[in-house]
Amino acid sequence: MTYHLLPPLGVALGAGVIAPPLLARARWAHHAPRLAVGAWLALAGALALSGGLALAQLLLSRAGGQGVVGLLLACTSEPERIPPGRDLLVITAVSAIAAAGPPCGALLGEYVRTRRSRARHARILRLVGRRSARLGVTLLDHETPAVYCLPGRSPEIVVSSGAVRALRAGELSAAVEHERAHLAGRHHLLFTAARALASVYRRLPLGSGLRHQVPLLLEMTADDHVLRRCTRQELAAALYETAAGQAPGGAFALGGASAVQRMNRILATDRPRCPVARGAFTVLASALAVIPLIAACCSI
């Protein structure tokens, strides 16, 4: 019966179309960027899961079952209503492939492309860069002030000669600490996942949010880490001086298109942080990954 498809389709509509614009405009996201990144990825997971469950509901109904809930009830009370073992195995396999296939394929492809790009740039750095033992970075002769990190098995933080001349000692320390925060937090993995999922859902608002919001939130997360060790003025000045600096594909740059928005956030007046509110956001972000499974399995 087709009404079993309504819950998973409703979840897919909410995760792919309705929730992304609301999350993109949510003011709390910029105060808790790590939670917001988790929420974006949870929405992508909910959309993939709801698609797989919708297909499972449809196939189970065609095989004589009553959807996922009906199958679970039949296992305990009416074993004769369970579809044959071979049919059930096929339904499970097809649904799992439909749910996980496109995201996993996109993740693998994005990972391979990004890794090749980083390896190519790392080879160039070994030829034209020089190591600075004092700063613990690779110096690159370039007039434009730029600071970026290149993740990987042998991660590198790259500072241009223009940045060394333009930044004071505290500002340069804040810039380098920002890139170390990216490396320590393994933000490149989240960035790769967001880009891959954005390519899968590129025609939906969710795809646009993953592509534009997640990188911004990861930069804000690194900014928050720096502010525990450096002053606002030092980080804001470093952002201002390196705003025009660009990074190669697969790398994180201190400056870039989000520099102005991040400077405004850094220099904004502190707002009191409520532990209860932060806890509620944590619970909400975690529930996003569980609610779709429960809702999609429920029949009307």
Side-chain angles (χ1 to χ4, degrees), residues 25-119:
R25 293 194 298 267
R27 298 179 64 181
W28 67 264
H30 289 181
H31 293 281
R34 287 185 296 178
L35 292 178
V37 170
W40 279 109
L41 296 179
L43 287 177
L47 182 56
L49 181 61
S50 62
L53 285 172
L55 181 58
Q57 296 275 29
L58 179 62
L59 294 177
L60 283 169
S61 299
R62 294 293 177 87
Q66 296 296 320
V68 176
V69 171
L71 175 64
L72 296 176
L73 293 175
C75 289
T76 57
S77 59
E78 303 178 53
E80 66 276 4
R81 293 177 56 189
I82 303 175
R86 184 177 179 182
D87 292 347
L88 187 59
L89 181 62
V90 170
I91 290 171
T92 303
V94 170
S95 302
I97 292 173
C104 289
L107 280 170
L108 180 60
E110 185 68 27
Y111 174 78
V112 171
R113 286 191 296 271
T114 304
R115 185 175 180 180
R116 287 176 178 173
S117 175
R118 290 172 183 156

Side-chain angles (χ1 to χ4, degrees), residues 105-136:
L107 280 170
L108 180 60
E110 185 68 27
Y111 174 78
V112 171
R113 286 191 296 271
T114 304
R115 185 175 180 180
R116 287 176 178 173
S117 175
R118 290 172 183 156
R120 186 164 51 248
H121 190 73
R123 288 194 296 268
I124 296 174
L125 284 178
R126 285 194 291 268
L127 295 175
V128 301
R130 64 183 188 277
R131 188 70 182 172
S132 171
R134 181 176 65 87
L135 297 175

